[in-house]
Amino acid sequence: MSSTRSSLPSINHIVVLMLENRSFDHMLGFLYADTGNTSPAGQAFEGLTGSESNPSASGGDPVTVYKIQAGAANTYFLPGADPGEGYTATNSQLFGSNTAPTPPVATNQGFIANFSYTLGWESKEKQSIFAGTVASDIMAMHTPQTLPVLSALARGFAVCDFWYGSVPTETLPNRAFVHAGTSQGHMDDKTRTFTSPTIYTSLIKQNVSWAIYGYDADPLTRQTFTDITHLADSYFGQFSDFQSAAANGSLPSYTFLEPGWGSKGNSQHPNYDVSLGEQFIHDVYYALRNGPNWNETLLIVTYDEHGGCYDHVAPPTQAVPPDSTAGEYGFDFRRFGPRVPTLLISPLIPAGTVLRVPEGSMPFDHTSILKTVELRWNVPALTARDAAAPDVGAVLSLATPRTDDPLDGVTVPASTGANPAANRPSHLQEVYADLVSRLPVPDAEQGTHRAPPKLETDYDYDNYIRERLAAWKAGRRAGPGKR
């Protein structure tokens, strides 16, 4: 997709908020159900009709998708447990088998069966499950009534209804694609670090400013990519730092935002409180809208992967492999992951836009973010994947910024239920703790700590990560001779 006739050159700030583990249908499938899946601009929208179904786990009648009801105790905790999201689980959801057939023609008919299997082992291992959760809950879909913030922004600016995860698997490989255009063959969250070049060091070479912000802690991304771990602390911060930069007009050219990773956080990872993520999206939007850089800003809100949540569209199979060799599980990187919600927000975007690539073109995936950044600031492609990706510049079709506010009058929802995962550590907190335990921080005997202490609760992990990072930064400031 060309950006030659767009207002992309007028954009001086691109901000990306990447949330966790939700599919397109689960969050936005009913966005335009009231208008026959047609946007106010008259564009077709690939949403739900309400007839989509999956075979039941018990062998009875198929279960159709249904709308999550507002005001229930489980409204913001559905699907009630953490669905399978790894490579084999995704295969099971798409193909009904842990291995993909040849050719890999997906039917998307295995979501209930896989969730039933997942609930079985999670129950045995005493994982957090919302009381009363059943396998058919994977067919529960949010509506504009339950997600008023996300939905109002999608209607008020632009939504991409064919934006796919970069790989059909879990979080870290997909996040690697948005930062580096490759997961270096990795296909699961056991990966602790990636050594590939990132967009951030490419931006430095072009003298383009950037920053990565965690929510209430330093960003996990810094510790995940060796390319940026040891760069200056000034490139990294927390959400309050982002809010200050947006308010005082000192936003960098490219900004990446992370949510809070814990069970009490706002990542929207199943089965955490989705309403907290609604508040986070609201706060990001207004930090930008109320700042002096709003008219020259593009905000992209997306999700790293589908997280095992139902989607009815089969992922495409014409992806360009970023590397020359196959990855883990023998995966060839020619298949995308399922669709994820993606919003494009800017006063230079007409309301009610549904952005798609031309028929037969390479579809949008997370490397479309890289491609857009690369085009805007003349940065070379990192891999073959982002070189082939379409950019989103065509969505910026207005010459004069809009002044209306699609969130005017929208109330952020709040959950009435109790979080079933309260104070349990998340998988990414465990990853983060392991990473910071490897940082060169002297212990009392002037050795280097390796294994973290015994950590049990969400609070324990947050505290350990915070203290370990502070000690590491203090050592860096002291200099090598004083460590």
Side-chain angles (χ1 to χ4, degrees):
M1 178 172 288
S2 171
S3 296
T4 53
R5 290 185 296 276
S6 81
S7 294
L8 184 59
S10 301
I11 295 296
N12 292 316
H13 307 279
I14 296 177
V15 178
V16 176
L17 169 60
M18 180 172 269
L19 296 163
E20 281 279 288
N21 294 44
R22 298 282 172 168
S23 71
F24 186 87
D25 277 345
H26 180 73
M27 301 294 271
L28 292 173
F30 285 121
L31 179 69
Y32 285 126
D34 59 340
T35 55
N37 283 330
T38 302
S39 82
Q43 297 170 311
F45 175 76
E46 187 57 45
L48 293 165
T49 64
S51 64
E52 295 81 4
S53 67
N54 252 218
S56 70
S58 62
D61 293 338
V63 179
T64 57
V65 295
Y66 63 93
K67 297 178 179 180
I68 295 172
Q69 297 303 304
N74 66 349
T75 297
Y76 294 107
F77 299 104
L78 283 164
D82 184 9
E85 61 190 81
Y87 177 66
T88 57
T90 303
N91 281 341
S92 176
Q93 294 152 12
L94 297 176
F95 307 110
S97 168
N98 286 348
T99 55
T102 303
V105 179
T107 62
N108 295 41
Q109 290 293 292
F111 281 88
I112 291 179
N114 184 255
F115 195 40
S116 177
Y117 166 78
T118 301
L119 286 174
W121 70 257
E122 287 185 348
S123 296
K124 291 178 182 177
E125 295 190 9
K126 302 190 184 314
Q127 301 288 316
S128 62
I129 299 175
F130 200 96
T133 295
V134 294
S136 58
D137 288 342
I138 202 68
M139 304 303 287
M141 307 291 130
H142 280 288
T143 68
Q145 288 69 47
T146 58
L147 298 180
V149 175
L150 187 73
S151 301
L153 291 174
R155 286 175 177 254
F157 294 100
V159 61
C160 299
D161 59 346
F162 289 106
W163 186 294
Y164 299 91
S166 293
V167 275
T169 190
E170 50 198 332
T171 289
L172 291 179
N174 274 291
R175 285 182 174 265
F177 271 84
V178 80
H179 298 300
T182 177
S183 65
Q184 297 184 290
H186 295 301
M187 287 294 292
D188 60 41
D189 279 355
K190 294 178 183 176
T191 303
R192 294 297 190 255
T193 55
F194 299 91
T195 59
S196 51
T198 64
I199 190 65
Y200 307 105
T201 48
S202 292
L203 289 171
I204 289 173
K205 292 174 184 175
Q206 298 295 95
N207 294 313
V208 178
S209 58
W210 59 270
I212 306 174
Y213 298 98
Y215 186 68
D216 53 3
D218 278 14
L220 170 61
T221 302
R222 182 181 189 178
Q223 303 302 325
T224 311
F225 290 86
T226 59
D227 193 40
I228 60 174
T229 302
H230 299 287
L231 295 181
D233 293 342
S234 57
Y235 286 112
F236 310 96
Q238 298 182 22
F239 186 59
S240 58
D241 301 311
F242 165 77
Q243 290 174 304
S244 296
N248 63 31
S250 61
L251 276 176
S253 298
Y254 182 57
T255 299
F256 188 86
L257 297 171
E258 292 183 6
W261 298 117
S263 57
K264 64 179 182 299
N266 50 19
S267 71
Q268 297 189 325
H269 189 294
N271 53 353
Y272 305 160
D273 186 348
V274 169
S275 71
L276 299 180
E278 281 274 281
Q279 183 70 59
F280 189 23
I281 296 167
H282 169 280
D283 293 348
V284 171
Y285 169 75
Y286 276 114
L288 295 170
R289 181 182 178 82
N290 294 336
N293 301 135
W294 171 239
N295 286 343
E296 55 195 54
T297 296
L298 169 63
L299 169 62
I300 302 174
V301 178
T302 189
Y303 291 72
D304 51 22
E305 44 116 346
H306 78 300
C309 296
Y310 174 76
D311 193 78
H312 78 276
V313 174
T317 57
Q318 77 270 37
V320 175
D323 310 299
S324 59
T325 57
E328 294 166 350
Y329 304 98
F331 185 65
D332 62 7
F333 289 88
R334 295 185 183 277
R335 283 194 287 122
F336 292 99
R339 293 189 304 170
V340 293
T342 301
L343 275 55
L344 307 172
I345 299 166
S346 168
L348 297 175
I349 298 174
T353 297
V354 179
L355 184 68
R356 297 179 176 178
V357 298
E359 190 74 28
S361 300
M362 191 64 62
F364 291 124
D365 81 317
H366 298 327
T367 62
S368 294
I369 295 172
L370 294 177
K371 186 60 168 283
T372 305
V373 171
E374 290 160 0
L375 281 177
R376 173 60 186 87
W377 287 293
N378 193 29
V379 177
L382 293 164
T383 71
R385 174 65 70 86
D386 56 304
D391 69 287
V392 303
V395 79
L396 301 158
S397 60
L398 299 180
T400 302
R402 293 163 49 192
T403 59
D404 63 302
D405 179 7
L407 279 194
D408 186 31
V410 172
T411 300
V412 179
S415 174
T416 60
N419 186 346
N423 214 24
R424 292 195 179 203
S426 71
H427 171 63
L428 288 179
Q429 282 178 306
E430 293 170 346
V431 168
Y432 204 167
D434 182 53
L435 287 170
V436 299
S437 75
R438 301 164 189 257
L439 291 172
V441 178
D443 59 22
E445 289 74 39
Q446 297 304 305
T448 302
H449 234 10
R450 287 294 176 186
K454 185 177 181 181
L455 305 171
E456 295 182 348
T457 67
D458 180 294
Y459 174 82
D460 291 341
Y461 276 86
D462 278 352
N463 213 35
Y464 172 72
I465 291 165
R466 188 178 301 109
E467 290 178 352
R468 186 77 180 170
L469 287 171
W472 174 62
K473 288 181 181 180
R476 281 162 53 89
R477 288 191 294 271
K482 298 182 181 180
R483 293 181 184 175

